[in-house]
Amino acid sequence: MRKMADDQTRSSPRFILLFPVLALLFQAGCSDLQLNYYSKSCPKAEEIVKEEVMKLYEKHGNTAVSWVRNLFHDCMESCDASLLLETANGIVSEKTSQRSFGMRNFKYVNTIKQALETQCPMTVSCADIVALSAREGVVMLGGPHIAMKTGRRDARESHVAVINDFIPNHNDSMSLVLSRFQSIGIDAEGTVALLGAHSVGRVHCVNLVDRLYPNVDPTLNPNYSEYLKGRCQSPQPDPEAVIYARNDRETPMILDNMYYKNLLSHKGLLLVDQQLVSDPVTLPFVEKMASDNGYFHDQFSRALLLLSENNPLAGDQGEIRKDCRFVN
Ligand code: HEM
Ligand SMILES: *[C@@H]1O[C@H](CO)[C@@H](O)[C@H](O)[C@H]1NC(C)=O
Ligand SMILES: *[C@@H]1O[C@H](CO)[C@@H](O)[C@H](O)[C@H]1NC(C)=O
């Protein structure tokens, strides 16, 4: 052993040659994702996802909104479709987490998976369905087209405790939010752009009443707080009831920079939204995005791509699920 070590020190030129190879090996976890990963095994995979997302959008427009939120909730910890597992066989579903409150349309993930299973059985992962459906959902909502890689594999376990701990709450501070995204490689500018996803969809009154009762949050635009109080009339709404308000009343189904314009007129829905303008780190980005939709879309694409590549399972890790709700 000792001798070998000595030999290696002496043959340093060879070590220098080896170094780039080693560096590449260490990055293997990331570089396993690639553009059009299914080009040989299931050439139509991306087209099938796109078609199914379009068909679902035509019947139930808010599925597109759900696909975008799914990517956030699945990928904050690891893009591995752990989000989609049901409670069964010792697994506690992440859907039961308080953080997953209000998530919907999970049953239509199965519609997409079934279409893929018909063409290419046991080939396309549920984690890639989460990613690709989000990408196509963004397009349906008038957002940018994002060149997303594929090749993610599916987890055999859920991470409900990590979800509760790591995904920020609606009323967390901006510094906490920024540090969570920072820790997965997304900077403040990217975080501001990602929150632009709240340009679409809804928020239930349970997540809003703290800003309305007993006193109205003084940072809220009075016109907007009137609308919110009209929507959420009780300080203690029944969490089971579907009582909600829209973030962006002007263009609620378009992923555009109206969200930032609203923030600047103090019409941010969640506390976390409104804090983007009270924090000096994020305010300049809000102003820039409010004035330039193209810039918002560029930053949104960049950050969603980073999020979609966070900590995937690849190679021989995990599995390809047959049914996205259950481990094989
Ligand atoms: C600090 C980060 C975030 C927090 C605290 C947060 C929190 C929330 C909350 C509380 C809701 C409303 C749930 C309900 O009452 O029904 C919501 C909705 C939503 N969030 Fe976020 N979110 C964050 C970041 C993101 C990101 C990064 C994305 C996607 C890129 C996203 C996408 C969505 C979408 C699309 C909805 C609407 C869902 C629907 O209408 O069904 N959120 N979020
Ligand atoms: C945030 O809201 C939750 C309820 O959704 C509440 O239990 C918690 O105390 C709030 N946290 C802060 C810091 O206000
Ligand atoms: C509230 O709405 C009225 C009527 O649309 C408008 O004139 C006024 O400027 C608004 N106030 C604020 C604070 O936005």
Side-chain angles (χ1 to χ4, degrees):
M1 275 326 236
R2 173 90 221 159
K3 181 154 189 311
M4 261 180 79
D6 283 346
D7 282 351
Q8 268 169 13
T9 339
R10 251 178 277 126
S11 57
S12 55
R14 213 184 301 155
F15 179 72
I16 290 169
L17 277 178
L18 256 173
F19 186 73
V21 178
L22 286 175
L24 270 178
L25 277 176
F26 280 120
Q27 286 182 2
C30 301
S31 54
D32 280 343
L33 297 185
Q34 57 189 69
L35 287 173
N36 219 349
Y37 176 86
Y38 299 106
S39 60
K40 293 214 170 62
S41 58
C42 186
K44 288 205 168 136
E46 298 197 16
E47 218 173 288
I48 294 171
V49 175
K50 183 178 173 181
E51 266 171 35
E52 294 301 316
V53 166
M54 281 172 72
K55 278 196 275 176
L56 287 165
Y57 173 76
E58 276 154 23
K59 275 194 254 165
H60 317 278
N62 54 38
T63 49
V65 172
S66 297
W67 307 149
V68 181
R69 194 176 182 208
N70 282 358
L71 180 78
F72 168 52
H73 283 247
D74 193 37
C75 288
M76 269 312 270
E77 172 267 329
S78 161
C79 294
D80 61 2
S82 57
L83 170 71
L84 302 176
L85 290 171
E86 295 289 347
T87 296
N89 307 321
I91 283 167
V92 179
S93 176
E94 292 175 14
K95 300 180 210 173
T96 63
S97 157
Q98 191 52 39
R99 292 294 181 275
S100 308
F101 178 80
M103 295 186 87
R104 49 180 165 165
N105 291 316
F106 285 116
K107 65 180 175 196
Y108 297 120
V109 176
N110 306 328
T111 310
I112 303 173
K113 178 63 167 168
Q114 273 157 20
L116 287 163
E117 287 299 296
T118 308
Q119 280 275 330
C120 328
M122 303 289 283
T123 306
V124 181
S125 69
C126 297
D128 280 336
I129 296 177
V130 169
L132 293 173
S133 62
R135 173 178 84 176
E136 300 305 336
V138 166
V139 174
M140 294 291 103
L141 297 167
H145 182 274
I146 305 170
M148 233 178 233
K149 293 179 183 172
T150 39
R152 299 164 190 79
R153 291 171 63 85
D154 298 330
R156 292 198 178 96
E157 66 268 333
S158 71
H159 316 278
V160 73
V162 186
I163 298 297
N164 280 325
D165 202 51
F166 197 67
I167 293 188
N169 207 353
H170 61 92
N171 52 5
D172 275 332
S173 69
M174 193 42 61
S175 60
L176 180 135
V177 170
L178 291 177
S179 77
R180 291 289 156 80
F181 281 94
Q182 188 74 59
S183 73
I184 62 162
I186 298 175
D187 58 14
E189 191 174 25
T191 305
V192 174
L194 281 178
L195 273 157
H198 289 174
S199 164
V200 294
R202 63 175 186 183
V203 171
H204 287 78
C205 292
V206 274
N207 286 323
L208 301 173
V209 285
D210 288 353
R211 303 192 72 196
L212 302 173
Y213 306 102
N215 303 307
V216 173
D217 179 338
T219 64
L220 272 174
N221 177 312
N223 287 348
Y224 193 56
S225 58
E226 276 318 302
Y227 159 72
L228 293 180
K229 282 172 91 171
R231 298 291 303 177
C232 305
Q233 297 186 1
S234 159
Q236 270 140 359
D238 172 5
E240 301 297 317
V242 187
I243 335 170
Y244 64 89
R246 289 195 177 284
N247 204 328
D248 173 359
R249 285 192 293 159
E250 281 80 12
T251 55
M253 289 299 282
I254 312 227
L255 194 71
D256 61 2
N257 66 343
M258 190 61 78
Y259 171 75
Y260 303 98
K261 294 181 188 169
N262 285 335
L263 293 182
L264 291 174
S265 20
H266 297 275
K267 298 179 188 169
L269 190 48
L270 298 170
L271 199 57
V272 81
D273 297 314
Q274 198 55 61
Q275 280 174 0
L276 288 175
V277 294
S278 49
D279 189 306
V281 175
T282 49
L283 176 61
F285 300 124
V286 171
E287 287 171 333
K288 214 168 151 195
M289 289 180 203
S291 67
D292 185 345
N293 197 46
Y295 164 71
F296 160 53
H297 279 175
D298 288 347
Q299 288 299 319
F300 185 81
S301 304
R302 180 181 70 87
L304 201 75
L305 200 58
L306 288 172
L307 187 59
S308 79
E309 293 178 9
N310 183 39
N311 199 19
L313 298 179
D316 56 5
Q317 296 173 305
E319 62 180 19
I320 305 294
R321 265 179 235 152
K322 178 163 180 52
D323 181 322
C324 293
R325 295 167 298 174
F326 305 104
V327 171
N328 288 343

